[in-house]
Amino acid sequence: MNVDQELVARLGIRLPIVQAPMAGVSTPQLAAAVSNAGGLGSIGIGAVSADQGRQQIEVTRALTDRPFNVNVFCHAPAQRDPEREAAWLEHLVPLFAEADAEPPAALSEIYTSFLEDEDVFDMLLEQRPPVVSFHFGLPSPERVQALGQAGIYTMATATHLYEADLIEKAGIDAIVAQGIEAGGHRGIFDPDANDEGLATSVLVRMLVKRARRPVIAAGGIMDGQGIRSVLDLGASAAQLGTAFIMCPESSANEHYRQNLKSTRAATTRLTRVLSGRPARGLVNRLVRYGEAAGSPEPPAYPVAYDAAKQLAAAAAKLGNTEFAAQWAGQGAPLARARPAAELVETLALELVGN
């Protein structure tokens, strides 16, 4: 079993375990519990303002004196297409009717990319979290350099060799190798490019042989045996997301948790319907409807997400949760409902074969 002591020491963690950021599900309480237990906890601030991100960092710091990771989204700003957006809203009219609601007159770009968000960048330099990670792409070289000069360790997601090459050239410290099994959004830089869909094991082996940066494996890893397997493949650490959703410290609602405990957890799908970008989650009514033959293409990310969130919110008022995004990886049936610290302890014991 390969444990990269240099990476563990640099990150200031005891175990080669990273809790995935999971914007919208991760919380300061979850991140702090994982960090206190010896792993690297994470919070995702890609969907919130600079002030909200600052608050999350401050709450996390109040709960732990250990290192933690702050994740931001580096997607290209949406290419707005009024005709495409109108066609999508028209397509969703029957679903809004089921929710006893009218579809919105127009959609919004609900998340500002870190590529354009000066406030979040300035806030990170002010707060100086121990680790900052990037998803969907990379910030400018100037921002990477500034974060590094502030003493911040940086990581970025790659789904393919060419993305890993760009990460290394940008001077980022570590590569998160996200396999096709992973839940949530694919970190692919260009969602319209060909996606080879590499499995975690294949991607890790490719990157370990080629990259000069530490590789953190992500995708389908749910237990200590899975962590050990990716370490044996040459990864320096493992990142787990779906494994932590049922922890009481996550913000997942009861319906989400019950679905992960049910047979529905065995069926996940990579789809653009919910957000406009490929993302893996439990199959719900909106996914089936939006992927049916003859359906128009959803708008660009995150514009499509605005429609999905408004539909889900309207339906929830009637007690209908069948339109909500519930991200999960292919390993979802292996998820365990236990406190985060206890889960990390269990992972550590499984990792060494106990």
Side-chain angles (χ1 to χ4, degrees):
M1 180 175 64
N2 169 61
V3 176
D4 188 339
Q5 296 299 335
E6 182 178 348
L7 176 69
V8 168
R10 177 64 183 81
L11 289 176
I13 58 179
R14 182 171 55 85
L15 300 167
I17 297 171
V18 179
Q19 167 241 318
M22 299 184 293
V25 173
S26 63
T27 64
Q29 291 74 21
L30 177 60
V34 172
S35 290
N36 286 335
L40 183 70
S42 304
I43 54 175
I45 66 168
V48 301
S49 68
D51 286 342
Q52 292 169 318
R54 178 184 292 105
Q55 182 180 29
Q56 288 194 35
I57 292 171
E58 290 174 347
V59 172
T60 306
R61 278 209 169 103
L63 296 171
T64 184
D65 59 0
R66 307 303 303 159
F68 60 92
N69 167 42
V70 178
N71 180 261
V72 294
F73 296 159
C74 293
H75 55 282
Q79 295 294 315
R80 303 302 298 267
D81 185 334
E83 291 186 5
R84 182 173 170 181
E85 293 168 22
W88 185 244
L89 285 174
E90 180 66 25
H91 185 59
L92 297 182
V93 164
L95 299 189
F96 274 96
E98 285 184 31
D100 195 24
E102 291 289 332
L107 296 172
S108 299
E109 189 170 356
I110 56 175
Y111 303 151
T112 302
S113 172
F114 183 68
L115 303 182
E116 297 186 324
D117 199 325
E118 294 290 338
D119 291 340
V120 170
F121 174 61
D122 291 341
M123 181 273 292
L124 291 175
L125 290 180
E126 165 207 309
Q127 290 289 316
R128 299 193 178 198
V131 183
V132 169
S133 61
F134 312 114
H135 204 57
F136 299 144
L138 303 174
S140 67
E142 293 77 19
R143 288 195 171 186
V144 173
Q145 184 177 24
L147 293 170
Q149 289 174 343
I152 298 169
Y153 191 88
T154 53
M155 309 190 302
T157 301
T159 65
H160 198 275
L161 288 174
Y162 68 85
E163 292 170 345
D165 287 343
L166 293 174
I167 290 170
E168 287 204 313
K169 289 174 183 176
I172 289 165
D173 297 308
I175 303 168
V176 178
Q178 187 194 42
I180 196 68
E181 304 97 322
H185 282 87
R186 290 281 282 160
I188 190 167
F189 288 14
D190 181 358
D192 296 320
N194 177 57
D195 184 357
E196 190 68 18
L198 297 174
T200 302
S201 58
V202 174
L203 181 60
V204 166
R205 287 303 298 157
M206 286 182 171
L207 296 188
V208 166
K209 284 184 168 291
R210 179 164 173 163
R212 298 180 300 278
R213 300 286 195 275
V215 174
I216 299 169
I221 307 167
M222 299 294 292
D223 50 29
Q225 292 87 343
I227 297 170
R228 185 166 67 245
S229 70
V230 295
L231 296 181
D232 286 341
L233 290 171
S236 297
Q239 178 171 286
L240 290 71
T242 306
F244 286 99
I245 292 175
M246 287 205 293
C247 294
E249 296 91 346
S250 91
S251 64
N253 62 32
E254 187 58 27
H255 182 255
Y256 197 169
R257 294 172 190 273
Q258 289 302 319
N259 279 341
L260 286 176
K261 293 177 184 178
S262 75
T263 56
R264 291 185 65 170
T267 305
T268 65
R269 189 173 301 170
L270 201 62
T271 182
R272 292 175 182 254
V273 165
L274 297 175
S275 73
R277 258 186 174 266
R280 183 178 297 281
L282 304 183
V283 179
N284 64 17
R285 175 133 164 67
L286 176 54
V287 172
R288 291 192 295 269
Y289 181 87
E291 291 188 345
S295 297
E297 283 291 313
Y301 176 89
V303 178
Y305 218 173
D306 184 25
K309 285 179 177 291
Q310 292 195 54
L311 174 60
K317 293 178 181 178
L318 302 180
N320 181 353
T321 56
E322 272 304 302
F323 299 122
Q326 296 179 341
W327 306 126
Q330 289 181 337
L334 298 172
R336 294 171 280 194
R338 58 185 65 181
E342 182 181 324
L343 178 57
V344 173
E345 181 182 357
T346 300
L347 294 171
L349 291 172
E350 293 170 344
L351 173 58
V352 296
N354 293 336

